[in-house]
Amino acid sequence: MSVNRCMHIFRLQRRMSALTFSSTGALPDSRVCYGSTVRSNQHSHIFLSCSRSISSNSSSSTTPDTSLFVPLAFKADGSVDGSVGAELTQPLDKSELLKVLNRFYKRKEMQKLAADQGLDARLFHQAFISFRKYVLEMNSLGAALHIILNDICCGAGHIDDIFPYFMLHAKQIFPMLDCMDDLRKISDLRVPANWYPEARAIQRKVIFHAGPTNSGKTYQAIQRYLTAKTGVYCGPLKLLAHEIFEKTNDTGVMCDLVTGEDRTFMDPEGRAAGHVACTIEMCSVTTPYEVAVIDEIQMIKDTSRGWAWTRALLGLCAEEIHVCGEPAAIDFVRELMYTTGEEMEVHTYQRLTPFSILDNALESLDNLRPGDCIVCFSKNDIYSISRQIEVRGLECAVIYGSLPPGTKLSQAKKFNDPDDPCKILVATDAIGMGLNLSIKRIIFNSLVKPNINEKGEKQMETISTSQALQIAGRAGRFSSKFTEGEVTSMHRDDLLILKDILSRAVEPIQTAGLHPTAEQIEMFAYHLPEATLSNLIDIFVSLSRVDGLYFVCNIDDFKFLADMIQHIPLNLRSRYVFCTAPINKKQPFVCTSFLKFARQFSRDEPLTFDWVCRHISWPLPAPKNIKDLVHLEAAHDVLDLYLWLSYRFMDMFPDTASVREIQHVLDDTIQQGVRNITRLIRATDPAAAESLGRGAAAPPRGRGATTRAPRLGGRAGQDSSLASRLVKDGLLTPDLLRQLQSEWSKEAAPQRQEGARKNKKK
């Protein structure tokens, strides 16, 4: 390239810098002011520490995923008198102008200059399309641009002179180009230990209680928690928090309960007690405690909820932190404590009651014994197996994840009661933590379960050693009548695989989850005011930087809710809070309710008790079939959602007490339905009753296994039949329909024969 060309491009860069400065006006100063206001926030250290780290290492900036950059509609400046350019020169020839613009687009030098300004090939193309449309379709252009284009068309100017105006246009439709450094600073997650200055201001003592299930590790931590002047227990489930809440108060130590949907204060005047039992997401990282207990620390690696354990471990302001979990987490937690400058003491425990793996699979439900628990990984199998057990004249308790906590406790109590005839339990892996059960033998109905990977994709995978041990460890429990446990599989082919899984060492934990905070997203929104919340989250994750100890948790559920309510006018903080609500997006009724809650909230109209009752059609009748039971579970989730939101927007969700009352009534109704679940299965629908009367299908043996839908005659083959809808909704599999239909037919055959004999006599 000649010296003249180099000087020409240098002048272009200087002109572009001058135009950019003049176009931004006071924006740089306003950003400085915004940064100063953020310092009063508890998360201000994020912004400050990131600024220091990035300024010294700007060369390591992450390359953003520009596919996430959504171009804004270009807004022309109405104050510009476009006729001036035409008066000083002449009207532009559109056909000649198109040729000029296309030549500009093809110039490699311009593409290189644009790349230096943050426009990769994708953004350069999108910006050019928008710029070309603007130039060709606008009736009048700014005087400077009009004159430049006229000179080029007449041969008196160089085509490269368009570049500064093109870049100004690009930065208007892609505003993130002008603030990329600021966005990178905000989304720098490399030093999360610095996010909690209150915790760093004290020297905490960290004690790790390591051991398998039923080893007494949590018990030992709780004993120290009970003797402390103040303490907090952080558990993974509402059931666990509630259990510790009751046990603590039973010992005479006043303890409050805090979950997403519940606040129970033992003091009649509502003053906080010195001890609190909470779900881990609800723990306070600003309240000082003498002792904190973090249960199930291995869940710090969970792709969806791991951030809550990271936050508790790094941020709790307690003189003693008692961490309970698998030995596989010891080295990783110790490494995290190195980043905080804190030492860790390790106490190891052995299992109090042994369990053994049997040499024979169950193979038939005829071989069931009292104290057996069949573990399934789908509600379909729960329905099928409970039906088969009932056919054999046995009673069984049923526990699965979507049941209300009260119903789970009721079913657990029924199973544990030595005077109750119910001696068989059918459950999902929901029993893995949070329930004390008197189980003699764990029977794995399947070794394959659906998982969500780090990309948010659902896939069928063989259970991990950690999952298998967590479930198998429920066999044989200290202080129960079963001092030794047994473990086996339902199918012979699975037994060798199960033995192999349980014989492996648990893989050591290597990373912990992180999640963007509301304050970080607000700072992003300041720079990108036109972006949707879902898009802000995408850009944040794309730009975020983490070191080797951390990963950003899966945010697909958050984005799902953000997209659902994007059209509803809400301020950013309220929108963020709504999108963190823990709802089951597979339940259409819950999602519809969420949408209606947000819409009513946006109108500034309180969601009263009467409004909620109308919405869920209260009172709800007892379930007559499985579909009714599923709807009652969804209605219970809707009331949970109301209570969850009521503690974040008290004025807009005012009738907490009344809603909680009907939720207790609904819980009782669901409990009654679950007690009669086999009757509900039979009554679901003639076609579905036949299908649900059959046995459980052998589960897929590997990834990607598929089943072909059966052809059903009569009503079962119609789209309107409940059986077909249950298959479509994923409540039943085609294999289950075939097997259950066969069993129901066998059971119904004697009744048909008896009916035929009676007709002959008549």
Side-chain angles (χ1 to χ4, degrees):
M1 186 181 291
S2 66
V3 174
N4 289 337
R5 292 294 302 128
C6 290
M7 291 300 294
H8 181 72
I9 292 197
F10 175 71
R11 285 195 298 272
L12 281 176
Q13 290 174 324
R14 290 188 59 187
R15 182 184 299 178
M16 186 190 68
S17 299
L19 286 169
T20 302
F21 176 78
S22 64
S23 68
T24 56
L27 189 55
D29 291 336
S30 66
R31 286 179 185 157
V32 171
C33 292
Y34 179 82
S36 66
T37 61
V38 172
R39 292 189 184 100
S40 63
N41 187 284
Q42 68 174 11
H43 292 275
S44 61
H45 45 278
I46 299 173
F47 191 84
L48 299 177
S49 64
C50 289
S51 299
R52 288 193 293 271
S53 64
I54 293 186
S55 62
S56 62
N57 190 22
S58 59
S59 62
S60 64
S61 298
T62 51
T63 303
D65 181 1
T66 57
S67 65
L68 303 174
F69 292 0
V70 180
L72 303 179
F74 179 77
K75 298 178 181 178
D77 188 355
S79 64
V80 175
D81 186 0
S83 62
V84 174
E87 291 174 1
L88 294 176
T89 56
Q90 61 184 0
L92 297 171
D93 183 343
K94 301 292 184 179
S95 60
E96 191 64 29
L97 199 54
L98 179 60
K99 296 177 183 177
V100 168
L101 292 172
N102 287 339
R103 292 207 321 270
F104 168 82
Y105 175 73
K106 294 176 182 178
R107 284 185 58 74
K108 298 297 183 184
E109 293 88 348
M110 296 301 96
Q111 295 177 19
K112 175 66 169 60
L113 274 178
D116 293 341
Q117 297 295 323
L119 283 176
D120 63 7
R122 178 196 296 271
L123 297 186
F124 181 79
H125 176 75
Q126 288 181 290
F128 173 75
I129 297 298
S130 177
F131 180 69
R132 184 177 63 186
K133 181 179 180 181
Y134 161 68
V135 169
L136 294 178
E137 294 183 4
M138 284 292 290
N139 294 327
S140 57
L141 301 172
L145 178 58
H146 187 107
I147 293 170
I148 289 291
L149 293 173
N150 182 74
D151 288 349
I152 296 172
C153 291
C154 296
H158 197 282
I159 196 169
D160 292 356
D161 291 339
I162 298 174
F163 185 76
Y165 301 94
F166 165 76
M167 277 307 303
L168 280 179
H169 183 91
K171 289 184 177 183
Q172 284 183 284
I173 66 170
F174 293 114
M176 60 285 295
L177 296 174
D178 250 348
C179 55
M180 195 61 68
D181 287 342
D182 290 338
L183 297 180
R184 285 194 176 98
K185 293 173 185 177
I186 297 167
S187 58
D188 192 329
L189 308 178
R190 288 177 295 182
V191 195
N194 291 347
W195 300 358
Y196 309 101
E198 294 90 345
R200 300 292 77 78
I202 60 177
Q203 189 64 29
R204 305 182 306 171
K205 180 181 179 181
V206 182
I207 300 101
F208 195 120
H209 300 269
T213 305
N214 196 21
S215 60
K217 57 185 183 297
T218 304
Y219 172 83
Q220 295 298 329
I222 292 299
Q223 295 310 300
R224 177 66 186 97
Y225 160 84
L226 292 173
T227 60
K229 294 179 180 178
T230 58
V232 59
Y233 168 83
C234 308
L237 300 172
K238 288 183 283 187
L239 282 176
L240 276 173
H242 197 273
E243 180 184 346
I244 299 301
F245 162 73
E246 290 186 335
K247 285 184 176 179
T248 305
N249 283 296
D250 288 344
T251 62
V253 177
M254 188 177 288
C255 177
D256 295 336
L257 175 68
V258 177
T259 69
E261 302 83 11
D262 194 7
R263 307 286 189 279
T264 302
F265 296 98
M266 296 306 294
D267 185 88
E269 297 181 4
R271 288 189 293 264
H275 288 68
V276 60
C278 64
T279 46
I280 192 149
E281 286 87 352
M282 300 306 299
C283 69
S284 169
V285 293
T286 56
T287 304
Y289 299 102
E290 182 182 345
V291 171
V293 177
I294 304 174
D295 209 356
E296 306 292 351
I297 188 62
Q298 67 274 4
M299 289 191 70
I300 200 170
K301 67 178 181 180
D302 188 82
T303 56
S304 298
R305 297 178 65 201
W307 62 270
W309 276 263
T310 304
R311 173 176 171 270
L313 183 61
L314 298 178
L316 280 171
C317 300
E319 298 171 23
E320 290 182 26
I321 306 287
H322 290 258
V323 179
C324 306
E326 296 176 355
I330 293 175
D331 291 341
F332 179 73
V333 173
R334 181 181 281 116
E335 192 169 358
L336 286 187
M337 293 302 96
Y338 287 153
T339 68
T340 65
E342 295 162 337
E343 296 181 359
M344 189 176 81
E345 178 182 317
V346 179
H347 297 172
T348 56
Y349 303 84
Q350 300 300 316
R351 185 174 167 84
L352 298 174
T353 55
F355 74 82
S356 58
I357 307 173
L358 301 180
D359 292 327
N360 298 307
L362 188 72
E363 297 195 78
S364 171
L365 295 178
D366 293 329
N367 299 324
L368 286 173
R369 301 194 303 257
D372 279 350
C373 172
I374 303 176
V375 177
C376 310
F377 295 117
S378 75
K379 199 185 294 185
N380 306 340
D381 292 342
I382 292 281
Y383 293 153
S384 168
I385 289 176
S386 61
R387 171 71 182 109
Q388 292 183 77
I389 292 172
E390 189 257 359
V391 166
R392 288 166 170 79
L394 302 174
E395 286 191 36
C396 67
V398 174
I399 296 175
Y400 51 87
S402 59
L403 286 177
T407 305
K408 291 177 186 173
L409 289 172
S410 172
Q411 291 289 293
K413 184 178 179 181
K414 177 182 175 71
F415 174 71
N416 289 336
D417 186 354
D419 298 325
D420 195 294
C422 172
K423 292 294 179 284
I424 308 295
L425 176 63
V426 183
T428 62
D429 52 340
I431 65 163
M433 58 182 73
L435 288 170
N436 292 320
L437 298 163
S438 298
I439 298 172
K440 170 64 174 177
R441 182 170 57 169
I442 287 285
I443 302 159
F444 285 86
N445 184 60
S446 167
L447 299 178
V448 178
K449 68 170 292 186
N451 278 325
I452 304 297
N453 62 22
E454 292 184 4
K455 297 180 181 179
E457 300 165 339
K458 184 177 180 179
Q459 54 190 24
M460 299 297 292
E461 288 189 338
T462 302
I463 58 174
S464 67
T465 299
S466 176
Q467 292 168 330
L469 286 172
Q470 190 79 30
I471 298 168
R474 297 295 154 182
R477 186 168 186 83
F478 184 72
S479 76
S480 77
K481 63 180 180 180
F482 300 119
T483 56
E484 293 187 11
E486 298 173 344
V487 179
T488 188
S489 62
M490 176 69 74
H491 306 284
R492 188 186 308 171
D493 294 345
D494 285 339
L495 189 55
L496 288 177
I497 301 173
L498 177 61
K499 288 183 176 181
D500 178 59
I501 292 172
L502 292 173
S503 67
R504 300 176 200 158
V506 178
E507 292 185 5
I509 293 173
Q510 297 179 336
T511 53
L514 296 173
H515 193 284
T517 66
E519 290 76 18
Q520 289 168 319
I521 299 305
E522 281 181 336
M523 286 191 280
F524 251 56
Y526 171 78
H527 292 296
L528 305 173
E530 302 296 326
T532 66
L533 178 56
S534 180
N535 193 224
L536 286 174
I537 290 288
D538 275 336
I539 296 174
F540 184 98
V541 173
S542 171
L543 292 176
S544 63
R545 286 188 282 177
V546 295
D547 65 23
L549 296 175
Y550 301 97
F551 67 92
V552 179
C553 283
N554 182 279
I555 39 84
D556 282 355
D557 287 350
F558 184 98
K559 287 173 53 187
F560 174 82
L561 298 181
D563 290 335
M564 188 189 302
I565 62 172
Q566 180 54 44
H567 65 287
I568 297 176
L570 295 169
N571 64 59
L572 183 67
R573 178 57 70 104
S574 297
R575 190 181 299 277
Y576 181 95
V577 171
F578 264 85
C579 293
T580 57
I583 73 170
N584 183 359
K585 66 181 183 181
K586 296 178 183 177
Q587 287 278 11
F589 183 63
V590 179
C591 292
T592 301
S593 303
F594 173 79
L595 190 61
K596 289 184 177 180
F597 282 10
R599 186 176 292 117
Q600 183 85 347
F601 180 92
S602 71
R603 296 172 182 151
D604 204 25
E605 298 176 6
L607 286 87
T608 63
F609 175 69
D610 290 339
W611 187 94
V612 173
C613 287
R614 287 195 303 272
H615 173 65
I616 66 171
S617 302
W618 185 261
L620 291 164
K624 297 179 181 178
N625 50 50
I626 288 296
K627 186 178 180 182
D628 289 348
L629 180 62
V630 170
H631 178 71
L632 292 185
E633 293 169 7
H636 192 280
D637 287 348
V638 170
L639 298 181
D640 256 354
L641 174 62
Y642 182 97
L643 295 172
W644 190 92
L645 290 168
S646 72
Y647 289 109
R648 286 132 184 102
F649 307 106
M650 295 183 182
D651 294 339
M652 298 300 293
F653 297 83
D655 296 331
T656 305
S658 299
V659 168
R660 195 176 301 284
E661 285 181 11
I662 66 171
Q663 190 183 45
H664 289 319
V665 175
L666 181 57
D667 197 341
D668 292 339
T669 306
I670 294 173
Q671 287 183 38
Q672 188 62 40
V674 172
R675 290 191 196 103
N676 300 315
I677 193 166
T678 52
R679 180 180 59 79
L680 299 184
I681 294 171
R682 294 177 57 137
T684 293
D685 168 284
E690 290 184 10
S691 66
L692 285 162
R694 282 187 295 148
R701 290 289 182 262
R703 298 184 190 179
T706 59
T707 55
R708 181 170 297 175
R711 292 188 176 182
L712 302 175
R715 295 209 308 156
Q718 299 172 12
D719 290 338
S720 60
S721 76
L722 187 52
S724 298
R725 292 199 299 275
L726 288 172
V727 172
K728 184 177 180 182
D729 293 341
L731 296 174
L732 292 174
T733 64
D735 277 348
L736 289 178
L737 284 175
R738 285 195 295 270
Q739 291 190 14
L740 293 173
Q741 186 176 18
S742 175
E743 181 180 321
W744 179 256
S745 299
K746 290 177 183 177
E747 183 182 327
Q751 298 175 4
R752 288 196 298 268
Q753 292 172 0
E754 180 65 24
R757 283 196 296 269
K758 288 181 179 180
N759 289 333
K760 282 186 177 180
K761 290 179 180 179
K762 291 180 180 179

